[in-house]
């Protein structure tokens, strides 16, 4: 049987039939980074909490009252969705990393399945990042004219810093998945020839 040229998943020269597939080092590194970034963002956002002291003035009596309040990420549906999405992507990333190492993305079916899974993870991350970013913008700037929401980042700055750090980590995971999708598309395109 004649040997065929088959490009590797990472866009390298590939291998001939009968020889071992080329290593997918960029893919492994990107999957590992996605695992790390989604784990960090899940933990940081899930644990984001701050106790703040609020001074409330009664407009009728002009008395000032001190109130202790807790700001938690679990109080916002957008932040909860973000945590769930990043946890799901974390577990799927671990599974995809194990599969890609075990199979070395050598078969076309494995490559296609991983590419589809990467695309789904990318979409999930984009939706979770969008939801959390929208809530963060409202927390930072307020929206008094439409909903009567005050800014909370003035009083809960540590909470807002943690939330923004979690969103940044998840954005980095999104970039890793975007690169994985592009690498998968290139590899699938080369396999079709």
């Amino acid at each position: 049987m004649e040997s065929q040229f088959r490009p590797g998943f990472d866009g390298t020269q590939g291998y001939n039939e009968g020889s071992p597939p080329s290593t997918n080092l960029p893919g492994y590194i990107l999957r590992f980074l996605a695992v790390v970034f989604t784990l960090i963002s899940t933990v940081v956002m899930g644990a984001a909490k701050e106790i703040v002291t609020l001074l409330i003035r009664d407009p009728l009596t002009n008395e000032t009252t001190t109130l202790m309040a807790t700001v938690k990420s679990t109080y916002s549906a957008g932040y909860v969705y973000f945590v769930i999405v990043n946890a799901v992507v974390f577990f799927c990333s671990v599974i995809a990393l194990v599969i890609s190492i075990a199979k070395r993305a050598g078969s076309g079916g494995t490559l296609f399945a991983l590419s589809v899974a990467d695309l789904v993870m990318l979409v999930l991350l984009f939706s979770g990042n969008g939801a959390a970013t929208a809530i963060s913008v409202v927390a930072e700037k307020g929206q008094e004219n439409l909903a009567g929401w005050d800014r909370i980042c003035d009083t809960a700055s540590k909470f807002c810093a943690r939330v923004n750090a979690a969103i940044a980590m998840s954005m980095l995971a999104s970039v890793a998945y975007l690169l994985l999708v592009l690498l998968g598309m290139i590899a699938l395109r080369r396999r079709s020839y």
Side-chain angles (χ1 to χ4, degrees):
M1 180 175 194
E2 206 175 295
S3 67
Q4 292 179 292
F5 174 76
R6 294 188 183 180
F9 182 70
D10 59 354
T12 59
Q13 289 296 321
Y15 62 94
N16 291 329
E17 198 172 287
S19 66
S22 61
T23 59
N24 180 14
L25 189 59
Y28 298 149
I29 291 170
L30 288 171
R31 287 189 195 286
F32 178 75
L33 289 174
V35 167
V36 170
F37 291 146
T38 54
L39 176 64
I40 291 171
S41 64
T42 302
V43 171
V44 169
M45 180 69 87
K49 169 177 134 174
E50 185 176 356
I51 298 172
V52 295
T53 304
L54 302 173
L55 296 174
I56 300 172
R57 190 176 66 86
D58 185 1
L60 299 176
T61 62
N62 220 10
E63 291 181 16
T64 303
T65 307
T66 302
L67 178 68
M68 300 290 280
T70 303
V71 181
K72 294 171 78 173
S73 61
T74 56
Y75 293 162
S76 167
Y79 291 155
V80 170
Y81 178 69
F82 176 88
V83 170
I84 291 170
V85 162
N86 275 277
V88 167
V89 171
F90 166 73
F91 287 116
C92 291
S93 297
V94 170
I95 292 168
L97 180 61
V98 169
I99 289 172
S100 67
I101 289 172
K103 298 281 186 179
R104 293 188 179 236
S107 70
T110 304
L111 178 59
F112 181 74
L114 285 175
S115 296
V116 170
D118 292 343
L119 186 59
V120 170
M121 296 305 112
L122 179 64
V123 169
L124 283 173
L125 283 172
F126 278 165
S127 69
N129 292 342
T133 302
I135 299 300
S136 290
V137 168
V138 171
E140 184 74 34
K141 308 238 184 245
Q143 200 168 35
E144 295 175 17
N145 58 344
L146 295 177
W149 294 336
D150 289 331
R151 292 182 269 182
I152 65 164
C153 287
D154 293 342
T155 55
S157 59
K158 291 179 186 175
F159 169 79
C160 289
R162 289 183 186 121
V163 164
N164 290 335
I167 293 170
M169 288 291 114
S170 186
M171 292 284 188
L172 290 173
S174 298
V175 169
Y177 265 106
L178 179 64
L179 293 174
L180 279 169
V181 167
L182 292 174
L183 284 175
M185 288 171 57
I186 290 168
L188 286 171
R189 174 74 176 155
R190 288 189 177 172
R191 279 187 187 252
S192 67
Y193 286 119

